[in-house]
Amino acid sequence: MLDIQYIRENRQAVAAKAQQKGYPVDVDTLLELDEQRRNIVTQIDALRAKRNDLAATLKKTKPTPEQIAEGKSLKEQVAQLEGNLAPVEEQYQTLLRAVPNMPLAEVPVGATEDENVIAKTVGEPTKFDFTPKHDFELGEALDLIDKERAAKISGSRFAYLKGGLVRMQFAIVQFVMQTLGDEAIIQKLIDENGLHIPAKPFTPVLPPAMLRTEPYVASARLNAEEVTYKIEQDDLWLNASAEHTLCTMYWNEILPEDALPIRYLGYSTSFRREAGTYGKDMEGIFRLHQFDKLEMEVFCTPETGLEEHKLQIAIQEYLVQQLGLPYRLIQKCTADIGKPNASGYDIDCWFPGQQKYRETHTADYMTDYQSRDLKVRVRRQDGIDLVHTNDATAFAMSRILKCIMENYQTADGRIVIPEVLRPYMGGQAEL
RNA sequence: GGAAGGGUGUCCGAGCGGUUUAAGGAAACGGUCUUGAAAACCGUCGUGCCGGCAACGGUACCGUGGGUUCGAAUCCCACCCCUUCCGCCA
């Protein structure tokens, strides 16, 4: 969430930018509630001070009937004010959480995703002297994907992935762990992008795939209606990304400054309800209810937040380039970056089956919006600051497998394995 | 699932109705001493919120939420979590 003091001091800007992001919010009402809230809290505190004074005088003596009556009266007054406060506080919290993060100045203003900006195009759409096939055609012919039986057992938007495709997924996992664990590569990307942050490698993490409501809400990532599965018998949700159990990891903690930046590479199965996408991307493995994903998560100081964002984007590009996939880097506009984001970039890779660039990666910079509610802080020489958080896709498996299958297909329907993955597949050259 | 024990500040840990402004220890920071370090000694040392330019003042917080009381870390109720043992299990 946003800092209420910032909202007080930037009433107009907050309303305007919230509008630009497509999360219009009634700032006037929010600030009115804020004032009511503070007014009541001040009154309550004054009454409590009286109560404490009274209690202090009674430490050794027996209370007189008058003193007991006064104590009771104070208690009732406090209770009444607390009764007044509760609904104000509730509305206030609801409105406050509805305020989106402020976009950075350089984020292009736009009303829909059509106003995203293509920052860069790398590579040419893959050319074939035959009509390229879709993942599902290739997958079926090579016995790599079985969606029919998955539908029988689990419903639509599930798949059995098999054989070489599975080995390729784990080759990708190994390749990414190797790459992000390599200080020299991180340093090279830092230097190439003119950044001034340490080359600390990413630590691989297998996080829990479920989390409880309270931290999930605080992470500003819970999207119950459209995205997230709830476990009925327990207070647990299935995470929609490793990011959700990674960003919450230091919930309610104060980190020592020398621990930062904390760079994690999480690997988790991700579950998504995909409500509201009926009929969209029904074929193949582009959009499934369940997929595995490698996700970067970084906790850092406010000063380095933007540079960590840039590093994550550089890493994403490097990884995609290593796989030899054509892509575009998209700077998302205000309407598309998402509520907790101050900035957001996507990488759209080329999918020959559809003859389109489609989203395979996203990089999110939240500034302190996420950490404020999660209460993830850093203890520094001159006080305590909220950390800045960044997350970014390393690879979303089913999408990137589809992308590789389609870009690396041969005329006779086989799939060449990208060079960098072969060492992790026993030297195998094709599926 | 059954039984027992437990959740206190950065950590360990005492407190079990009113000198708690949470003992004591450790860590950390500053200082004395020392050629330097260690040790010893002295000092500092929780997080929010409200008010204030500030110094500071007020208030809340001892797993969470209710309750009892003039007064709750302390008593009562419910729930959550952790540990150990038993059972089951990859």
Side-chain angles (χ1 to χ4, degrees), chain A residues 197 257 300-308 365 380 385 388:
Chain A
I197 46 180
E257 185 165 14
C300 64
T301 59
E303 297 77 39
T304 55
L306 185 56
E307 294 217 343
E308 293 285 346
Y365 177 34
R380 318 181 78 172
D385 283 333
H388 277 209

Side-chain angles (χ1 to χ4, degrees), chain A residues 297-316:
Chain A
E297 172 77 32
V298 168
F299 304 88
C300 64
T301 59
E303 297 77 39
T304 55
L306 185 56
E307 294 217 343
E308 293 285 346
H309 184 45
K310 289 176 177 169
L311 174 62
Q312 292 195 334
I313 296 164
I315 289 171
Q316 291 178 317

Side-chain angles (χ1 to χ4, degrees), chain A residues 302-376:
Chain A
E303 297 77 39
T304 55
L306 185 56
E307 294 217 343
E308 293 285 346
H309 184 45
K310 289 176 177 169
L311 174 62
Q312 292 195 334
I313 296 164
I315 289 171
Q316 291 178 317
E317 287 196 71
Y318 177 81
L319 290 173
V320 172
Q321 286 167 16
Q322 291 297 301
L323 287 186
L325 299 168
Y327 69 93
R328 294 197 308 207
L329 178 66
I330 308 289
Q331 183 179 22
K332 294 197 276 188
C333 74
T334 49
D336 204 30
I337 55 177
K339 191 175 151 193
N341 285 53
S343 171
Y345 281 76
D346 279 351
I347 284 179
D348 293 2
C349 283
W350 178 254
F351 286 80
Q354 296 177 36
Q355 292 289 300
K356 271 184 192 160
Y357 287 98
R358 301 290 312 269
E359 179 186 326
T360 55
H361 294 69
T362 191
D364 297 316
Y365 177 34
M366 269 67 64
T367 59
D368 60 9
Y369 187 89
Q370 212 173 26
S371 60
R372 180 167 292 105
D373 213 358
L374 282 171
K375 300 184 179 68
V376 183

Side-chain angles (χ1 to χ4, degrees), chain A residues 41 43-53 74 78 82:
Chain A
V41 165
Q43 291 180 54
I44 290 176
D45 280 358
L47 288 171
R48 279 178 178 154
K50 273 194 199 173
R51 183 199 60 189
N52 289 343
D53 284 345
L74 287 170
V78 168
E82 281 174 343

Side-chain angles (χ1 to χ4, degrees), chain A residues 189-254:
Chain A
L189 294 172
I190 286 170
D191 294 342
E192 281 174 7
N193 288 276
L195 306 177
H196 303 88
I197 46 180
K200 191 174 173 180
F202 285 71
T203 304
V205 180
L206 286 175
M210 298 183 204
L211 67 161
R212 297 190 286 190
T213 304
E214 201 184 345
Y216 214 161
V217 168
S219 76
R221 287 288 179 206
L222 181 59
N223 185 342
E225 294 73 30
E226 285 161 13
V227 175
T228 323
Y229 285 105
K230 177 76 172 68
I231 304 292
E232 205 47 54
Q233 304 97 306
D234 298 286
D235 177 32
L236 285 171
W237 302 78
L238 286 174
N239 74 182
S241 164
E243 202 264 311
H244 299 184
T245 35
L246 285 174
C247 74
T248 44
M249 204 168 160
Y250 297 105
W251 185 39
N252 282 326
E253 292 192 35
I254 302 175

Side-chain angles (χ1 to χ4, degrees), chain A residues 257-268:
Chain A
E257 185 165 14
D258 61 13
L260 303 182
I262 293 171
R263 293 183 179 143
Y264 284 140
L265 174 66
Y267 182 66
S268 172

